[in-house]
Amino acid sequence: MPSVTISFNLKNGVALGDAVDSVQQLADTTLPAAITTTFQGTAQAFQDSLQGLGLILILAIAVIYIVLGILYESFTHPLTILSGLPSAGFGALLTLLIFRTDLNLYAFVGVIMLVGLVKKNGIMMVDFAVQAQRERGIDPRTAIHEACLVRFRPIMMTTMAALVGTLPIAVGWGAGAESRRPLGLAVVGGLLVSQLLTLYITPVYYVYIERARMWLARTKKASATRQVAPGVAVALPDIGNQQGRA
């Protein structure tokens, strides 16, 4: 079948992602189903660049979870540390929406950067709480409360350093900064929202997950005791009978 090539240019202020979506929607509504359409050139490169970003984000979170699990020798502590990621992602998307910026390649890279920047808050608090529980034997609620008080200053210092470092990118200073601005907006928005919520969300996750873990440990211990008890009860009469015969 013959092929037809249609080219288009972008208006000032129109993003390539919006243009691609508009062209694809127009083609789906006007062209017959027997006709197939594909993009070429810059539009095709744009689509190819966005296909694997979701998988990269999932792999990054999975690798961080595995590393934290090996470090703390636990399946639950990495979940507590990563509990601040949803708030960071929400803050990044909300900031992009407020400034009417697309979730393009640079913005997605900023979201992936947030995974590494936000988890350090959870690491600071969880690490202190775990050590306090192991060394002093205090309950999870007291441990995480002390962690929030002691680690508040380091968390604020590292977060402010990251904010000041990415703020010029978000403002859009310098030559060619307009293309990199979505990255700065995603990082700044995600850090601000996560910083406001992490000190409240992470302790709640830690307390509930630790209580669930301790309950499971007590349940396993009780079940093991019930399994051992009948064997001991049967063994005692045998010992007594042997002594009586002697």
Side-chain angles (χ1 to χ4, degrees):
M1 295 181 62
S3 61
V4 178
T5 302
I6 300 176
S7 60
F8 61 92
N9 294 323
L10 298 178
K11 293 176 61 177
N12 293 330
V14 178
L16 180 59
D18 294 337
V20 170
D21 294 337
S22 300
V23 172
Q24 187 65 48
Q25 184 179 3
L26 181 62
D28 294 337
T29 55
T30 57
L31 296 178
I35 299 178
T36 58
T37 60
T38 57
F39 287 96
Q40 299 291 331
T42 307
Q44 183 182 10
F46 173 78
Q47 287 185 326
D48 294 339
S49 65
L50 295 178
Q51 288 179 355
L53 291 179
L55 180 61
I56 293 175
L57 179 61
I58 295 174
L59 289 177
I61 297 174
V63 170
I64 291 174
Y65 176 84
I66 294 172
V67 173
L68 292 175
I70 296 173
L71 178 63
Y72 290 101
E73 298 179 354
S74 172
F75 293 102
T76 57
H77 293 324
L79 294 177
T80 307
I81 294 172
L82 296 176
S83 61
L85 294 183
S87 60
F90 173 76
L93 296 178
L94 181 63
T95 305
L96 293 175
L97 181 63
I98 292 175
F99 287 90
R100 297 181 180 180
T101 305
D102 294 330
L103 184 64
N104 55 15
L105 179 61
Y106 287 99
F108 217 103
V109 171
V111 174
I112 296 176
M113 289 177 57
L114 281 175
V115 177
L117 294 174
V118 173
K119 69 179 178 58
K120 53 89 182 172
N121 296 341
I123 291 176
M124 289 183 181
M125 290 187 289
V126 171
D127 186 72
F128 184 92
V130 170
Q131 289 185 0
Q133 282 188 261
R134 292 177 179 175
E135 296 176 358
R136 292 184 285 164
I138 58 179
D139 60 289
R141 183 173 181 178
T142 305
I144 196 64
H145 181 260
E146 291 185 5
C148 292
L149 296 177
V150 174
R151 298 296 190 184
F152 177 76
R153 183 179 297 177
I155 289 174
M156 290 299 298
M157 290 174 63
T158 54
T159 302
M160 292 304 297
L163 280 174
V164 173
T166 55
L167 192 60
I169 303 176
V171 174
W173 290 344
E178 190 67 25
S179 61
R180 299 188 299 270
R181 191 184 181 195
L183 186 150
L185 290 174
V187 174
V188 170
L191 286 176
L192 286 176
V193 176
S194 65
Q195 182 63 37
L196 294 175
L197 299 180
T198 297
L199 294 176
Y200 300 96
I201 295 177
T202 301
V204 173
Y205 270 90
Y206 183 84
V207 171
Y208 280 103
I209 291 178
E210 280 295 296
R211 287 179 179 176
R213 184 185 63 81
M214 296 170 65
W215 177 80
L216 288 176
R218 289 194 301 266
T219 303
K220 290 181 180 180
K221 185 177 180 180
S223 62
T225 304
R226 286 194 299 268
Q227 291 176 359
V228 173
V232 175
V234 173
L236 289 176
D238 294 338
I239 297 173
N241 292 333
Q242 290 177 3
Q243 293 177 353
R245 295 192 188 96

